[in-house]
């Protein structure tokens, strides 16, 4: 039997076991995915332990993505640009670190909007999730990306850090710039944690967004964040965080179990049920 894990702290509510479990059944793969709760000081030892047990690899979630970056012996381009690793693949040659978060967002946006060539995007947030998002937006051809963050200086340093790696023009600013920028935006993308269950939502006025614009939130718990509710109420196109979640798992499943799985309505339904159950 092939085995893989999802390591994090806490990891109890991770949907990864539901996702991978669905595909294991769908494709008749003899495998399992285990939750691996580990506090930061236990991370390296836990990786060594499961590697020793013959695991194919692990998905890495909060708060270990930077530690996983450090631990990996080789890394893909996305991991290097993001400074974070969400997939560790074990082989006889060592530990490979990859970042598939941007792949998830790329696929989800492409499915819903197509390419973003020549378009202006407003991205909210300047944390780890924003880095992967910038990479995805750049690969989709966005011409200009305004990075707005509560702490303006963080948006500045993110734009500065990624400017050389990306083709899109990166324009950092404070959240207060939103109202002035809204009329230019084809897409508003939230990568902040505001709006996640138990946190207050971003109070953002969507009035200025053009009619054809889309709003995407990478938060998927709740699935319909206040931001997406407001966008839907204005008749704007809405993209929730489940698409990204499902697509980021495709390369992981393939690396662990040797089958490239498909994202289907059935998978989405299973995740919605798990979220509401
Ligand atoms: P992640 O790796 O998930 O992006 P992070 O690095 O902690 O997590 O970043 C969280 C992001 O959400 C940051 O951009 C943070 O803004 P600050 O850098 O100004 O702290 C943003 N964020 C969190 N709560 C927020 C809130 N209530 N309003 C606005 N932005 C918020």
């Amino acid at each position: 039997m092939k085995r893989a894990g999802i390591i994090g702290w806490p990891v109890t509510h991770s949907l990864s076991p539901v996702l991978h479990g669905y595909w294991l059944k769908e494709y008749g793969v003899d495998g399992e995915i285990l939750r691996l709760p580990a506090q930061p000081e236990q991370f390296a030892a836990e990786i060594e332990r499961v590697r020793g047990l013959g695991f194919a690899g692990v998905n890495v979630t909060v708060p270990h993505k930077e530690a996983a970056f450090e631990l990996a012996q080789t890394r893909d381009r996305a991991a290097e640009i993001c400074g974070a690793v969400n997939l560790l693949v074990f082989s006889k040659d060592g530990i490979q670190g990859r970042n598939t978060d941007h792949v998830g967002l790329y696929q989800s946006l492409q499915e819903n909007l197509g390419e973003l060539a020549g378009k202006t995007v407003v991205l909210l947030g300047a944390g780890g999730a924003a880095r992967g998002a910038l990479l995805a937006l750049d690969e989709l051809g966005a011409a200009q990306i305004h990075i707005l963050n509560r702490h303006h200086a963080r948006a500045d340093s993110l734009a500065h850090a990624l400017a050389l790696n990306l083709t899109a023009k990166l324009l950092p600013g404070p959240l207060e710039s939103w109202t002035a920028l809204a009329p230019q935006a084809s897409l508003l993308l939230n990568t902040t944690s505001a709006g996640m269950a138990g946190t207050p939502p971003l109070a953002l006025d969507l009035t200025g967004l053009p009619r054809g614009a889309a709003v995407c939130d990478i938060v998927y718990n709740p699935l319909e964040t206040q931001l997406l509710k407001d966008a839907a109420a204005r008749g704007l196109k809405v993209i929730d965080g489940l698409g990204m979640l499902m697509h980021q798992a495709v390369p992981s499943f393939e690396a662990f179990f040797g089958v490239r799985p498909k994202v289907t309505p059935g998978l989405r339904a299973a995740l919605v049920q798990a979220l509401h159950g």
Side-chain angles (χ1 to χ4, degrees):
M1 176 192 277
K2 288 177 180 157
R3 283 201 285 178
I6 164 81
I7 188 163
W9 187 269
V11 78
T12 332
H13 298 295
S14 167
L15 286 178
S16 285
V18 180
L19 252 166
H20 288 273
Y22 181 93
W23 281 330
L24 286 168
K25 216 167 143 200
E26 174 99 351
Y27 295 98
V29 175
D30 185 19
E32 67 176 344
I33 179 129
L34 300 171
R35 284 191 171 87
L36 306 170
Q39 298 204 41
E41 61 276 16
Q42 302 164 324
F43 176 73
E46 184 63 358
I47 294 295
E48 245 348 270
R49 185 182 75 83
V50 297
R51 222 184 135 205
L53 289 173
F55 277 43
V58 294
N59 269 141
V60 181
T61 187
V62 177
H64 302 308
K65 290 186 185 182
E66 283 82 17
F69 176 89
E70 296 299 335
L71 191 126
Q73 289 152 333
T74 57
R75 296 183 280 254
D76 68 1
R77 172 179 177 264
E80 292 291 354
I81 292 177
C82 293
V85 156
N86 74 320
L87 169 62
L88 289 171
V89 183
F90 307 147
S91 73
K92 57 176 176 17
D93 300 327
I95 304 179
Q96 191 205 14
R98 295 168 56 182
N99 190 306
T100 71
D101 285 333
H102 82 291
V103 179
L105 186 63
Y106 176 94
Q107 295 287 354
S108 177
L109 291 175
Q110 198 193 39
E111 212 168 82
N112 285 281
L113 304 175
E115 299 291 314
L116 294 173
K119 303 266 171 75
T120 295
V121 178
V122 175
L123 179 147
L124 307 175
R131 283 183 170 249
L134 283 171
L135 192 53
L137 294 169
D138 191 59
E139 286 174 357
L140 285 164
Q144 308 198 69
I145 308 170
H146 292 274
I147 306 170
L148 306 188
N149 199 48
R150 180 173 57 179
H151 296 99
H152 183 178
R154 236 182 140 194
D156 283 343
S157 35
L158 180 59
H160 189 72
L162 292 193
L164 284 180
N165 292 298
L166 306 185
T167 311
K169 196 168 178 192
L170 307 181
L171 303 157
L175 278 179
E176 290 72 26
S177 308
W178 163 247
T179 315
L181 293 172
Q184 305 162 35
S186 297
L187 170 67
L188 169 65
L189 172 61
N190 177 42
T191 73
T192 77
S193 47
M196 217 178 253
T199 69
L202 279 174
L204 219 60
D205 180 3
L206 302 183
T207 318
L209 269 175
R211 269 175 193 281
V215 179
C216 174
D217 203 329
I218 69 164
V219 169
Y220 58 80
N221 189 13
L223 196 51
E224 197 183 27
T225 58
Q226 189 60 48
L227 182 68
L228 295 187
K229 272 188 194 151
D230 293 348
R234 299 199 63 78
L236 299 167
K237 184 155 192 147
V238 159
I239 304 165
D240 67 37
L242 268 195
M244 175 178 172
L245 180 77
M246 294 188 289
H247 283 290
Q248 63 78 31
V250 169
S252 300
F253 189 87
E254 187 177 21
F256 298 154
F257 304 114
V259 177
R260 188 162 181 87
K262 284 206 160 34
V263 168
T264 57
L267 174 64
R268 190 181 161 91
L271 291 169
V272 170
Q273 194 180 18
L275 271 173
H276 293 152

